[in-house]
Amino acid sequence: TDEITIRVAITVIAAIIAIAVALIFGREDDRDDSAVPIATRHGTFVAQFNDIGLCRLDFPAKARAIKPAPKPTGLAKRRAVAGADLSAGTQFQQTVWAELLNIPPGQTRSYGEIAGRLAKPGAARAVGSACGANPIPVIVPCHRVLAAHRRIGGFSGGPGWKPRLLRIEQAEFVG
């Protein structure tokens, strides 16, 4: 099992418990968001949470200055991952992210395949843009989406992360 996924999952669970306690008993401060560094042998990730749950995951060297977490919108009810807030995305982005959750570890799909599964066969580039806007990569596995002919394509985590994650999952790709 992948160390990054396990640490992120443990952090998400801990944050959900903390959020539940804060909602039940109240908070001492007025903050409604928090950022948690997750140290791994691959570097330190930063997970950011709001009242719904995990709303952003930044990769090492890509972690931004911590700013207030995005407030959940009316689309929060469409989130596809328990304890996660994907409401910052458009309806199309959320539909793409939900489809990405159907890709098992070790398998990949192309941007075009995802577009076809969404009944939008000409939307491969839009699928790529939605993958790039994914606020919680690894949890919503946009790294499992490849360009045509199993080529890597882009990845919001930065150079080298997509092939690294795919190797950990033993997925086939052309590097």
Side-chain angles (χ1 to χ4, degrees), residues 13-14 26 31 56-57 66 83 92 98 100 111 126 131 137 141 149 168 173:
I13 291 166
R31 263 186 19 201
R56 171 162 220 87
L57 179 66
I66 295 171
F92 178 76
L100 301 183
Y111 298 109
C131 289
H149 310 293
I168 289 169
F173 63 94

Side-chain angles (χ1 to χ4, degrees), residues 51-115:
D51 287 339
I52 290 178
L54 180 65
C55 61
R56 171 162 220 87
L57 179 66
D58 288 325
F59 278 67
K62 287 280 219 168
R64 321 159 192 243
I66 295 171
K67 55 185 177 185
K71 299 286 182 210
T73 66
L75 296 174
K77 294 177 184 144
R78 292 182 42 107
R79 67 185 186 274
V81 179
D85 178 12
L86 296 172
S87 66
T90 65
Q91 281 191 311
F92 178 76
Q93 289 170 334
Q94 290 183 27
T95 302
V96 170
W97 300 336
E99 185 61 34
L100 301 183
L101 292 168
N102 295 322
I103 307 172
Q107 293 186 24
T108 61
R109 305 287 184 272
S110 71
Y111 298 109
E113 284 178 271
I114 298 295

Side-chain angles (χ1 to χ4, degrees), residues 38-50:
I38 306 167
T40 74
R41 68 174 181 248
H42 304 285
T44 301
F45 293 74
V46 176
Q48 194 167 4
F49 300 87
N50 63 18

